[in-house]
Amino acid sequence: MSSSEQTAPAPTPRPPRLTAAAAVCGLDALALLAGGVYLLVMGLLGRPDSPQQAEMGGLTLIALGVIPLLAARGLLLRRGWSRGPALITQIMALPVAWTLLQSSAGLIPVGIALAAVTVTGLVLLVNPATTEALNMRGRDREDRPGV
């Protein structure tokens, strides 16, 4: 090997927290996509009160399911942009979990599960190891102008 050839440093392994955060986003995407397909099929084949509303709701959930799916892929590939959509998805799930917790007894376990997954996702996404793995650095005091 000549002196002009240099070997690239080996990439550091992905932190388990980042992998877990991607898995939570993937789980969110799967739930949204499954709910969207269910509503779409029920709108097309079932007898809902409003087939158009069921179909539009299904299409909306499918479209919303793409966001955490892309975020999960971005997290696995260590893309810094993916943390924002992942955080927004988790924050949007909190009021849904709260609503499910306030509803009839049959939906309370779903609300508990959603709340647990959402809080876990938020904790994983704001963890300093995740931020570091995504090469996101806060600005130090001496880097800020006027300080």
Side-chain angles (χ1 to χ4, degrees):
M1 186 153 104
S2 69
S3 62
S4 63
E5 294 180 39
Q6 294 181 0
T7 59
T12 58
R14 185 182 322 112
R17 288 184 177 115
L18 186 59
T19 304
V24 168
C25 284
L27 185 62
D28 290 341
L30 183 64
L32 285 166
L33 292 170
V37 168
Y38 174 77
L39 282 176
L40 192 59
V41 168
M42 294 314 303
L44 293 172
L45 302 177
R47 299 263 182 224
D49 292 337
S50 172
Q52 293 85 6
Q53 189 174 9
E55 292 163 7
M56 187 54 69
L59 290 174
T60 301
L61 284 180
I62 290 170
L64 288 175
V66 172
I67 295 169
L69 186 64
L70 292 174
R73 184 174 186 278
L75 289 170
L76 287 174
L77 296 174
R78 294 184 178 187
R79 305 290 191 252
W81 61 262
S82 61
R83 186 171 175 240
L87 280 169
I88 290 169
T89 301
Q90 301 308 312
I91 291 169
M92 287 175 50
L94 286 173
V96 175
W98 179 256
T99 302
L100 290 171
L101 288 170
Q102 302 300 315
S103 64
S104 66
L107 294 176
I108 290 176
V110 176
I112 292 170
L114 180 59
V117 169
T118 299
V119 170
T120 301
L122 285 171
V123 168
L124 290 169
L125 288 166
V126 299
N127 188 287
T130 302
T131 305
E132 184 179 323
L134 295 173
N135 289 327
M136 301 174 77
R137 293 180 220 98
R139 290 173 36 157
D140 294 328
R141 233 178 126 68
E142 58 270 2
D143 291 341
R144 285 185 248 159
V147 177

